[in-house]
Amino acid sequence: NHGTTFFAHNGGKSDMHFIFDELSRSGLAQHRFEVEAAFNGASAFLVTLAERDEPKKKFTFSDTLFLLKARLKKIGEWLGYPKGEMDFNDENVGFAELRMYNERDCELLYKAVAQLEAELFSMGGEFKATLASSAMALFTTRYLKEVLPTDRATNLYSRKAYYASRVEVFTRQCEEAKYVDVNSSFPWSMKK
């Protein structure tokens, strides 16, 4: 199953954390896999596990909430494939009912991802980890007909419009890090 991407809707806030816990508890993260994760706040929207001995052997976990910006119930309505119903307060719900509920969610998500991928390909785009990266790939391959001219003076002048919210990867690995999650510093920084 190397090279497989596993999708979970809103998985970055739930499913991915269970995976992190299991990797840590079992020792697999320390001994077998190299773990890379991309976060948006506390949500791990893209996680890659690569074999330490064979780094080309990878698994990817992707949070489809960053591709399909709606609740799974709403997506099911759009597709004409309703999400299952479950009363989680009912103590008599058995494993069989939970399994059917989860299978329906998986089928629904599969259909949604497949349709998004087909739509992107039909427009000349490419399926990426986020809606923004998919849109940029579509724009640059299909609609951007020429290189946009730029120069240092224009870039320096334009940079003044970008105050805060700089998010980019400078290095993909670190041995030790401190993580700070600031919940929207944008309004504060725009007043500066």
Side-chain angles (χ1 to χ4, degrees), residues 53-71:
D53 296 338
E54 297 181 70
K56 290 189 178 186
K57 290 187 174 182
K58 298 179 180 184
F59 300 98
T60 303
F61 298 88
S62 180
D63 183 347
T64 54
L65 190 59
F66 289 82
L67 288 163
L68 306 162
K69 303 277 189 176
R71 296 175 61 104

Side-chain angles (χ1 to χ4, degrees), residues 20-191:
F20 286 145
D21 289 346
E22 181 60 25
L23 287 170
S24 179
R25 186 194 60 73
S26 67
L28 287 171
Q30 293 82 8
H31 304 294
R32 182 173 174 190
F33 293 109
E34 186 76 29
V35 180
E36 286 186 14
F39 286 86
N40 183 339
S43 185
F45 69 90
L46 191 64
V47 177
T48 303
L49 303 179
E51 296 271 358
R52 288 187 185 275
D53 296 338
E54 297 181 70
K56 290 189 178 186
K57 290 187 174 182
K58 298 179 180 184
F59 300 98
T60 303
F61 298 88
S62 180
D63 183 347
T64 54
L65 190 59
F66 289 82
L67 288 163
L68 306 162
K69 303 277 189 176
R71 296 175 61 104
L72 201 53
K73 183 175 183 174
K74 181 56 87 177
I75 294 168
E77 291 170 9
W78 293 336
L79 294 176
Y81 194 81
K83 179 175 168 40
E85 297 290 329
M86 176 68 60
D87 181 3
F88 291 103
N89 295 319
D90 184 354
E91 295 176 8
N92 297 318
V93 173
F95 182 78
E97 291 92 355
L98 289 170
R99 181 176 179 162
M100 284 177 42
Y101 174 82
N102 284 318
E103 283 179 357
R104 180 69 177 201
D105 277 4
C106 290
E107 291 167 359
L108 171 54
L109 187 57
Y110 179 84
K111 289 176 182 293
V113 169
Q115 184 167 335
L116 175 62
E117 183 177 41
E119 290 291 329
L120 287 167
F121 287 154
S122 75
M123 292 185 286
E126 187 178 347
F127 187 77
K128 298 283 192 174
T130 66
L131 196 56
S133 57
S134 297
M136 182 57 84
L138 175 62
F139 173 72
T140 57
T141 57
R142 177 93 188 266
Y143 299 102
L144 185 62
K145 301 297 181 194
E146 59 188 62
V147 176
L148 298 175
T150 186
D151 56 60
R152 181 165 170 71
T154 302
N155 291 341
L156 289 173
Y157 180 77
S158 299
R159 184 172 283 274
K160 294 175 185 174
Y162 294 98
Y163 202 95
S165 297
R166 181 177 179 184
V167 179
E168 61 187 279
V169 176
F170 289 100
T171 180
R172 293 190 172 267
Q173 296 179 337
C174 67
E175 295 299 318
E176 192 174 312
K178 291 183 180 180
Y179 177 76
V180 177
D181 184 6
V182 177
N183 198 3
S184 191
S185 67
F186 192 70
W188 173 84
S189 62
M190 290 303 290
K191 294 189 293 183

